[in-house]
């Protein structure tokens, strides 16, 4: 699995960036699953989308990738109540099947995302780490 670690880093980063972008493209789909006890649902959707994009990009910037991974873990935990609310109320989101079985399977997947991000909280070999920043541009003191 370690030999695929950097490929999986890129997959997680791109996936979370794409999901973050959809928070801005179709925010009403996400507003539907914000528990009603929380204030400013649209603001929370935009905020979570922003941090998803930021975390995804951060995973691919070696000097901040560990911090980005911790941030994604916090984000995955923070949005979990929305996933629970969606499942408990069988809220229909476009392009996601609305079946109790889908929700039962989908809820534990959050733990997989947390574990996946946690994998990147440990130091990586900088010369092998997937990066959107050329190594030559990273100051030596930040490596």
């Amino acid at each position: 699995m370690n030999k695929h670690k950097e490929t999986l880093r890129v997959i997680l980063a791109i996936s979370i960036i794409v999901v973050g972008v959809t928070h801005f493209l179709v925010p009403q789909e996400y507003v539907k699953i914000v528990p009603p006890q929380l204030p400013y649902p649209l603001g929370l959707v935009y905020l979570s989308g922003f941090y998803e994009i930021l975390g995804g990009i951060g995973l691919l910037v070696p000097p901040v990738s560990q911090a980005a991974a911790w941030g994604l873990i916090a984000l995955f935990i923070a949005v979990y109540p929305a996933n629970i609310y969606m499942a408990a109320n069988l809220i229909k989101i476009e392009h996601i099947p609305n079946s109790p079985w889908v929700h039962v399977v989908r809820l534990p997947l959050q733990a997989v995302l947390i574990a996946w991000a946690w994998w990147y909280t440990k130091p990586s070999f900088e010369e092998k780490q997937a990066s959107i920043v050329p190594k030559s541009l990273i100051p030596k003191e930040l490596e």
Side-chain angles (χ1 to χ4, degrees), residues 1-9 118-120 122-125 128-129:
M1 186 71 118
N2 271 345
K3 99 178 185 183
H4 301 294
K5 183 176 184 178
E6 294 311 312
T7 301
L8 292 169
R9 177 193 302 270
W118 180 78
W119 198 16
Y120 301 108
K122 297 174 175 39
S124 293
F125 296 109
K128 292 183 180 181
Q129 183 175 337

Side-chain angles (χ1 to χ4, degrees), residues 58-122:
L59 280 179
L60 300 173
V61 178
V64 299
S65 64
Q66 288 177 272
W70 282 113
L72 285 173
I73 291 169
L75 181 66
F76 294 149
I77 292 168
V79 300
Y80 197 62
N83 293 326
I84 294 170
Y85 180 74
M86 179 182 172
N89 295 286
L90 292 175
I91 297 171
K92 173 75 176 124
I93 298 290
E94 196 169 330
H95 305 298
I96 296 177
N98 193 27
S99 150
W101 289 107
V102 170
H103 292 297
V104 166
V105 170
R106 198 171 166 272
L107 284 174
L109 286 179
Q110 201 78 2
V112 173
L113 288 173
I114 290 167
W116 194 356
W118 180 78
W119 198 16
Y120 301 108
T121 63
K122 297 174 175 39

